[in-house]
Amino acid sequence: MLELQAITAGYDRKAPVVRDVTLSVAPGESVGLLGPSGCGKSTLARVAALLHRPDAGTLLLDGDPVRRWRHRAPCAQRTAIGVVFQQPRLSADPRLRLTDLIAEPLRATGRRDEVRERVAELAPSVGLTPDLLDRRPHEVSDGQLQRACLARALLLRPRWLICDEMTAMLDASTTAALVAAVEEYRSATGAGLLAVGHDQVLLGRWCDRTVSWEKLTSTEAGE
């Protein structure tokens, strides 16, 4: 279970953008988090991905509390979560070929010997052809780069996926392809999904249930 309990978070303790929010995702479940831009849902997603320490509240992974964040988090917790952001060009090193971008998590965890096999396995599953793997971010489209970012998120076989506006900048065909790739992975592994977005139709079709940010942060929800 991925559990966010009474999370308060932001970038200024005097003015948090997330206040006392509780949300959970069960193994194998897909949960949509629906809300307008700027409401704080991406900050909550970063907390869930162990990328932002909350000011208050608790994050639990299978009942174990998270006590450290980012690179200080234990490897077992850090690698249990894969995350895809909205803007691939802000989350990709422009100097790397796509094959090296995808392989980053394996190299970071000292598993270089698995790189060739895993990249060859994942690339076709997200729609990347061999010729694209040798290109750098400026040589591919946003959709192709986001496919590589999704492959990178799946590389370590995470048990939880967090897709933060993953398809917001993409056309309909690329959106459908990436959602299909995520669902194929979840079907094969039983991974849970937190999909953050503002497209109610997409989240409604994609997820088992959709949670409205407005209701999640209402006084009644807090009580």
Side-chain angles (χ1 to χ4, degrees):
M1 184 78 75
L2 174 63
E3 300 173 86
L4 296 132
Q5 298 181 347
I7 297 293
T8 293
Y11 308 94
D12 180 348
R13 283 182 173 271
K14 297 180 180 178
V17 295
V18 176
R19 295 176 183 269
D20 195 28
V21 170
T22 294
L23 179 66
S24 64
V25 184
E29 182 184 28
S30 55
V31 177
L33 178 56
L34 176 70
S37 297
C39 68
K41 61 188 187 299
S42 290
T43 299
L44 186 68
R46 290 180 62 82
V47 172
L50 277 64
L51 295 175
H52 185 81
R53 178 188 290 274
D55 299 325
T58 303
L59 172 62
L60 298 169
L61 288 177
D62 295 325
D64 295 325
V66 173
R67 304 188 189 282
R68 297 185 179 183
W69 305 83
R70 298 183 70 85
H71 62 279
R72 292 188 176 89
C75 184
Q77 291 186 334
R78 197 170 65 244
T79 58
I81 300 171
V83 58
V84 188
F85 298 103
Q86 176 180 351
Q87 300 186 51
R89 298 198 183 278
L90 296 182
S91 59
D93 188 330
R95 301 168 297 179
L96 297 180
R97 298 177 304 151
L98 295 196
T99 187
D100 297 318
L101 185 153
I102 295 169
E104 280 184 295
L106 280 176
R107 293 197 170 101
T109 52
R111 297 159 59 184
R112 294 173 179 268
D113 56 324
E114 300 177 40
V115 165
R116 179 173 296 183
E117 179 181 353
R118 284 294 286 148
V119 172
E121 176 186 346
L122 276 172
S125 74
V126 298
L128 289 175
T129 53
D131 62 301
L132 291 173
L133 293 176
D134 284 330
R135 299 182 189 180
R136 289 178 169 77
H138 71 277
E139 298 174 316
V140 299
S141 69
D142 286 346
Q144 291 165 336
L145 185 55
Q146 191 68 307
R147 290 172 190 265
C149 290
L150 174 57
R152 178 179 61 185
L154 300 178
L155 192 71
L156 298 181
R157 298 182 176 90
R159 292 182 290 114
W160 309 98
L161 279 174
I162 297 173
C163 297
D164 183 11
E165 301 272 16
M166 178 182 75
T167 63
M169 301 178 65
L170 307 179
D171 59 36
S173 63
T174 305
T175 293
L178 290 184
V179 168
V182 168
E183 289 308 293
E184 182 179 352
Y185 175 80
R186 293 202 323 109
S187 176
T189 65
L193 168 69
L194 176 62
V196 177
H198 59 263
D199 186 334
Q200 186 172 4
V201 173
L202 174 62
L203 293 181
R205 291 176 177 173
W206 187 4
C207 300
D208 298 326
R209 62 185 174 97
T210 299
V211 180
S212 164
W213 183 261
E214 181 179 356
K215 290 183 179 179
L216 193 65
T217 56
S218 69
T219 302
E220 291 80 4
E223 294 173 348

